[in-house]
């Protein structure tokens, strides 16, 4: 199984952490508030531990479970501590109304994270198209991902599969812009075409 560090102590960190522990992964929680990190690690159980903010994460895969506007600043704070790590950006860079992206058309938050990270780190975009409560239900939902390094994506795919989910590779990190756009698409569908938030985007193989 995988060795995971969650940076963040909010709802997505709790949800992914719960699934990760259930999937037999080693889990570390890091947050600015040490007490919250310790409390979440205790809640997760399964031997989950609390790390120190800014120190080198114990996990080989580091999940950025923060708000999108905190993703790049957090990576800059950790900087060399993230050397050699696989960084999974799960954020959605929505504008204020959730109807568009708060990033230019030719980039993504994931690409900005990659620029801020050490050269030896590998960034993978994933999980942003799943609503938290849908993710918490588990089951065979699809996780769209993008990244430049094939081995990093293979490692993240193994982790995703341990959660009972299906990894769906969309290509290199330039595709992260469109994966983030798919997050906007889910919001539009929730408000109009579906009318609720109890769904996820997925692939239907007809062959």
């Amino acid at each position: 199984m995988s060795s995971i560090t969650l940076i963040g102590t909010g709802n997505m960190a709790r949800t992914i952490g719960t699934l990760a522990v259930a999937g037999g992964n080693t889990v570390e929680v890091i947050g600015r508030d040490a007490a919250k990190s310790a409390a979440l690690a205790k809640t997760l159980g399964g031997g989950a531990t609390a790390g120190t903010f800014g120190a080198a994460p114990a996990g080989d895969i580091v999940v950025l479970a923060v708000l999108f506007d905190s993703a790049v600043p957090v990576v800059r704070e950790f900087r060399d501590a993230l050397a050699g790590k696989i960084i999974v950006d799960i954020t959605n860079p929505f504008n204020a109304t959730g109807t568009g992206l708060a990033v230019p058309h030719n980039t993504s938050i994931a690409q900005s994270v990659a620029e801020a990270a050490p050269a030896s780190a590998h960034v993978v975009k994933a999980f942003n198209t799943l609503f938290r409560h849908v993710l918490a239900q588990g089951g065979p939902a699809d996780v769209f991902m993008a990244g430049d390094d094939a081995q990093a994506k293979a490692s993240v795919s193994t982790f995703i599969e341990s959660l009972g989910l299906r990894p769906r590779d969309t290509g290199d990190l330039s595709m992260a812009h469109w994966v983030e756009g798919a997050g906007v698409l889910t919001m539009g569908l929730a408000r109009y075409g579906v009318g609720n938030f109890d769904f996820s985007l997925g692939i239907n193989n007809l062959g």
Side-chain angles (χ1 to χ4, degrees):
M1 292 295 102
S2 305
S3 175
I4 308 299
T5 292
L6 299 162
I7 299 182
T9 57
N11 289 331
M12 281 298 284
R14 181 182 299 271
T15 300
I16 293 176
T18 298
L19 293 174
V21 168
N25 300 284
T26 300
V27 178
E28 177 189 51
V29 180
I30 295 179
R32 292 186 185 278
D33 187 322
K36 286 185 178 179
S37 299
L40 178 54
K42 183 177 180 180
T43 297
L44 294 178
T49 60
T52 302
F53 193 87
D60 296 324
I61 298 175
V62 178
V63 179
L64 285 179
V66 298
L67 297 177
F68 88 86
D69 53 359
S70 297
V72 170
V74 165
V75 169
R76 286 176 176 159
E77 286 186 68
F78 275 80
R79 189 54 190 173
D80 291 342
L82 295 173
K85 302 294 184 179
I86 299 170
I87 303 170
V88 180
D89 168 32
I90 72 170
T91 66
N92 269 311
F94 293 157
N95 62 17
T97 59
T99 57
L101 295 175
V103 293
H105 67 86
N106 60 345
T107 190
S108 63
I109 286 295
Q111 287 167 284
S112 296
V113 166
E115 291 170 1
S120 61
H122 301 292
V123 175
V124 175
K125 185 78 188 186
F127 291 103
N128 68 295
T129 60
L130 286 167
F131 295 116
R132 180 191 62 78
H133 70 283
V134 173
L135 179 60
Q137 294 171 10
D142 289 331
V143 179
F144 299 102
M145 52 188 284
D148 288 335
D149 186 82
Q151 185 55 55
K153 287 194 287 188
S155 296
V156 174
S157 292
T158 297
F159 172 58
I160 290 170
E161 288 169 347
S162 80
L163 308 183
L165 305 169
R166 293 183 295 246
R168 301 293 193 182
D169 190 351
T170 67
D172 64 28
L173 200 60
S174 67
M175 287 296 293
H177 176 85
W178 306 106
V179 176
E180 291 173 2
V184 179
L185 177 64
T186 60
M187 292 295 289
L189 287 168
R191 290 167 171 165
Y192 302 104
V194 178
N196 61 64
F197 292 84
D198 298 324
F199 72 95
S200 65
L201 300 181
I203 303 299
N204 185 12
N205 288 313
L206 301 178

